[in-house]
Amino acid sequence: MSAPSMTLFHNTLSPFVRKVMVLLHETGQQDRVALQDCVLSPVSPDATLNADNPLGKIPALRLADGNVIHDSRVILDYLDHQHVGNPLIPRDGSARWRRLTLASMADGIMDASVMVRYEQVLRAPEKHWDEWLEAQREKIRRALALLERDAIAELTCHFDVAAISVACALGYLDLRFPDLGWRDANPQLANWFFEVSQRPSMIATMPKA
């Protein structure tokens, strides 16, 4: 077995990192990537990560030539061009824009969830901005409602960039906000998530708090 040719700045608790890991498993590329663990927050950066990625965000992927690409969407697109199987991001046409739009909605759920997490954990309770927190939760509820109403059939038909992104967003909600009760309002989404959670790629990347 050859040595990994790329390095992923990685944290198992990040839903954005998990998206990349799931795609690596789905495309059989996990052995090509070494993992470099990063524990960071907006007020606690990682100097090694910042040297190549001034935004200091994960995931970031150092390629074999030393260049670093970042943002999970960019990394997914890059890795999807590095395997010989069917693409997990449609290359062109209306399918591409629809699947990327669903993936972007999932990213929005992750963004709002991470912001709520930071506000609750990094700021003293007396400084919490309750209206802002509720606005972030409402973004999550609206996005889940749309997925429940309009996207179940699409998510079911292919485990691609859209399905991977939604699955990782739901996994993060379960990890950080188990009392949110998102399944009650979205039973079809809950059933779909139960099924895809049994995939080897999802089991292998399940975060542990």
Side-chain angles (χ1 to χ4, degrees):
M1 182 182 297
S2 60
S5 59
M6 297 176 282
T7 300
L8 181 70
F9 292 90
H10 168 274
N11 186 307
T12 59
L13 301 181
S14 165
F16 298 100
V17 170
R18 190 182 187 191
K19 285 196 304 176
V20 175
M21 294 301 300
V22 170
L23 184 139
L24 287 171
H25 280 269
E26 290 286 333
T27 59
Q29 297 186 79
Q30 62 268 35
D31 292 336
R32 299 182 61 200
V33 178
L35 303 180
Q36 182 162 326
D37 288 336
C38 294
V39 179
L40 69 160
S41 77
V43 295
S44 179
D46 183 294
T48 302
L49 174 64
N50 289 351
D52 293 315
N53 173 15
L55 296 177
K57 298 175 71 174
I58 56 174
L61 183 68
R62 181 181 289 125
L63 307 180
D65 63 6
N67 286 317
V68 174
I69 60 175
H70 48 83
D71 187 282
S72 60
R73 287 168 288 196
V74 177
I75 296 171
L76 290 177
D77 203 2
Y78 175 82
L79 291 173
D80 198 39
H81 283 78
Q82 307 306 309
H83 66 98
V84 297
N86 293 327
L88 298 186
I89 303 173
R91 296 291 189 250
D92 51 35
S94 61
R96 175 177 176 83
W97 311 122
R98 175 59 176 170
R99 305 308 282 189
L100 289 176
T101 297
L102 292 175
S104 177
M105 189 177 306
D107 284 355
I109 294 172
M110 296 180 206
D111 283 330
S113 301
V114 170
M115 292 301 100
V116 170
R117 171 72 178 173
Y118 283 157
E119 179 77 2
Q120 292 179 332
V121 172
L122 298 180
R123 288 168 63 89
E126 65 273 13
K127 294 184 178 180
H128 288 177
W129 187 359
D130 292 334
E131 293 85 357
W132 184 86
L133 284 168
E134 183 56 27
Q136 301 306 312
R137 296 188 189 101
E138 188 58 28
K139 289 180 185 179
I140 296 168
R141 295 187 192 103
R142 290 197 304 265
L144 293 176
L146 189 146
L147 292 170
E148 173 79 7
R149 184 180 69 244
D150 294 342
I152 297 300
E154 293 175 89
L155 294 174
T156 301
C157 68
H158 297 296
F159 196 69
D160 63 0
V161 65
I164 289 170
S165 300
V166 173
C168 291
L170 297 177
Y172 189 73
L173 292 179
D174 281 353
L175 174 70
R176 293 304 195 193
F177 309 107
D179 298 330
L180 185 64
W182 64 267
R183 288 172 173 81
D184 295 337
N186 306 285
Q188 294 183 94
L189 201 56
N191 290 337
W192 171 81
F193 182 59
F194 176 80
E195 293 295 331
V196 299
S197 293
Q198 312 308 309
R199 296 181 72 91
S201 63
M202 291 291 291
I203 293 172
T205 60
M206 185 175 296
K208 297 177 178 60

